[in-house]
Amino acid sequence: MNKRFPALLALSAAMVLAACDTGNTPQPTSTTAPAVPTTVVEVTPTTAAEAPTATAAPPADEPTNTAAPVAEATATPPPPTEVPAADEPLTLNPVTVQTTDATRRGVFERERTLNLPPGFQVNVFAVGVESVRLLGLSPDGLLYATSPRGGRVVTLPDANNDGVADSINVFADGLGGVHGIAFKDKGVYVATEGSIVRLEDTDGDGVADDRRTLAGDLPTGGGHSTRTIAFGPDGKLYVSAGSSCNVCRESNEKRAAISRYSAEGQFEKIFASGLRNAVGIDFHPETGELWATNNGRDGLGDDVPPETIYNVKEDTNYGWPFCDGARIPDESQGPPAGFCEGTGVPAVEMQAHSAPLGLHFYTGDQFPAQFRGDLFVAFHGSWNRSVPTGYKVVRVRFADNQPDQSAGDLLVEDFATGWLIGGDAWGRPVDPFMAPDGSLLVTDDRAGAIYRIFYAGQ
């Protein structure tokens, strides 16, 4: 176990107290709404009407939400401590979000609860990281996080292994809109809206003193300003850039696509296209295949089109803007005859407007065995929906390194909820990320916090 992260905790099960689309600003669109295919797996919304609580201005690629008070938590009995059998649905129970004197601030000045499966608990790993988005772990085991609005990359050591960051240290600043992060050799690679930058701390003082812009040709302007990067098994750097609009025909081939660059920052090719906004990308730890979340378009109603997860294949077009989901033609864009029939299809379809962002494969052994190999996805939450949905972390069941279609309605199921109460959101999950001890870290760009979800069992 890495010394920077907590050892497994043996805690009591007594817990009390009940707990955007990252798309662009809405565009005028056709009112014609194609039907959602019957294969869509819907994760049931947890609330009634949308009025998320805004504690800070949203990123540039998101609409502003109206502030509203959050309902008071209510006392609940302690939850059971055994998870259901592998072939049974998860049941969620409210557990208190544990805080310390250092983390009991911001939205955590009052007690908060989240809903988790039996035996799971949660604590605040860090708070005060403005608009925190993506996490990364360096080869030497140090946790990094990006802060787009702050233009900073920070490090979060936990040398005493208590499950709470010892400090929040600025590794690099002046990186407006920084979002994606990846590691290779001694370099920390980050992506701003328009560039890929390599950072390195050459003198060991914890601050990047060597900064080199490797590429300055990422598309800028319009909506969807976040850029996500990841190194593949081939040593190449993969870069995701969303569309400039809700739905339109792009002039820049790097928009609504995943591009491949060399580790030195040289653009090589469009790896896959037709992905409206693939904020989350991750390579499967065993197969090396690329997986991505994708946010569907707005303006077609509450339940169209489905949100999607793709097993991304090279040289494949996934349809946008002419097709949505499983080859559903978007007649407002006049798709070429037969075009949709030749596009890639999603591996998983989910409730529209959930805004899936980060995704991460669970390979640890801290959680019960039934979770190993499954995919965790953060739903940032809806804005273009009369009844809000999202604002949670879901589990996608995998078998033989692929989504377990035999699971039926259990293919996608809620794992962590409670950020949305009575139509008001006090937090918005972004990125699930496994710590070396097997706990699951989750960033929240509204609360400026990172949670640590762990299994305490009995």
Side-chain angles (χ1 to χ4, degrees), residues 87-110:
D87 59 350
E88 296 178 356
L90 293 178
T91 57
L92 305 187
N93 304 286
V95 297
T96 301
V97 178
Q98 302 169 25
T99 59
T100 65
D101 289 343
T103 60
R104 200 171 298 116
R105 57 196 182 93
V107 299
F108 305 106
E109 290 180 358
R110 54 169 292 181

Side-chain angles (χ1 to χ4, degrees), residues 37-384:
T38 56
T39 56
V40 173
V41 179
E42 292 196 3
V43 182
T44 304
T46 56
T47 61
E50 180 178 9
T53 302
T55 58
D61 59 345
E62 296 179 9
T64 302
N65 291 288
T66 303
V70 178
E72 291 292 330
T74 55
T76 60
T81 58
E82 294 184 0
V83 295
D87 59 350
E88 296 178 356
L90 293 178
T91 57
L92 305 187
N93 304 286
V95 297
T96 301
V97 178
Q98 302 169 25
T99 59
T100 65
D101 289 343
T103 60
R104 200 171 298 116
R105 57 196 182 93
V107 299
F108 305 106
E109 290 180 358
R110 54 169 292 181
E111 192 170 74
R112 300 287 179 176
T113 64
L114 292 175
N115 305 309
L116 298 170
F120 284 86
Q121 297 184 16
V122 58
N123 68 271
V124 178
F125 179 79
V127 65
V129 187
E130 183 183 12
S131 68
V132 61
R133 294 286 283 193
L134 301 190
L135 298 174
L137 193 70
S138 69
D140 63 354
L142 180 60
L143 184 71
Y144 287 69
T146 60
S147 171
R149 192 176 297 121
R152 291 186 292 272
V153 177
V154 301
T155 58
L156 301 124
D158 179 22
N160 60 0
N161 298 325
D162 65 352
V164 179
D166 303 328
S167 56
I168 301 171
N169 308 315
V170 177
F171 179 73
D173 57 13
L175 296 164
V178 63
H179 188 258
I181 186 166
F183 301 86
K184 186 175 178 60
D185 302 325
K186 296 181 180 180
V188 181
Y189 293 72
V190 297
T192 65
E193 182 179 3
S195 61
I196 301 170
V197 180
R198 184 186 184 278
L199 307 168
E200 185 177 348
D201 172 18
T202 63
D203 57 10
D205 66 352
V207 178
D209 53 272
D210 182 42
R211 179 182 305 200
R212 283 178 279 168
T213 298
L214 302 182
D217 59 350
L218 304 189
T220 59
H224 298 145
S225 62
T226 60
R227 306 288 175 259
T228 307
I229 58 175
F231 277 104
D234 56 3
K236 305 292 186 178
L237 191 61
Y238 292 76
V239 183
S240 172
S243 64
S244 64
C245 58
N246 175 36
V247 59
C248 63
R249 301 191 186 194
E250 299 283 5
S251 59
N252 188 326
E253 65 174 354
K254 294 178 183 176
R255 301 225 63 144
I258 297 175
S259 301
R260 189 174 74 195
Y261 283 71
S262 70
E264 294 71 39
Q266 181 67 41
F267 172 73
E268 293 185 350
K269 65 177 295 184
I270 300 298
F271 183 79
S273 59
L275 295 164
R276 178 178 175 272
N277 192 26
V279 176
I281 60 175
D282 194 17
F283 286 91
H284 193 283
E286 293 188 19
T287 68
E289 294 178 314
L290 179 60
W291 290 78
T293 58
N294 187 55
N295 288 203
R297 62 159 293 183
D298 304 313
L300 295 179
D302 280 0
D303 300 313
V304 179
E307 306 286 41
T308 49
I309 296 173
Y310 290 99
N311 183 184
V312 183
K313 304 299 184 182
E314 188 171 4
D315 298 326
T316 299
N317 187 306
Y318 290 93
W320 186 89
F322 300 116
C323 327
D324 299 314
R327 300 172 173 169
I328 306 169
D330 187 338
E331 299 299 342
S332 72
Q333 299 304 299
F339 176 81
C340 293
E341 286 79 356
T343 59
V345 296
V348 179
E349 293 187 341
M350 304 170 293
Q351 172 61 52
H353 308 301
S354 297
L357 299 187
L359 74 168
H360 196 81
F361 289 97
Y362 187 81
T363 60
D365 56 12
Q366 205 268 348
F367 284 12
Q370 62 170 283
F371 293 95
R372 187 174 179 85
D374 288 344
L375 183 67
F376 287 92
V377 182
F379 283 4
H380 200 223
S382 60
W383 65 269
N384 183 233

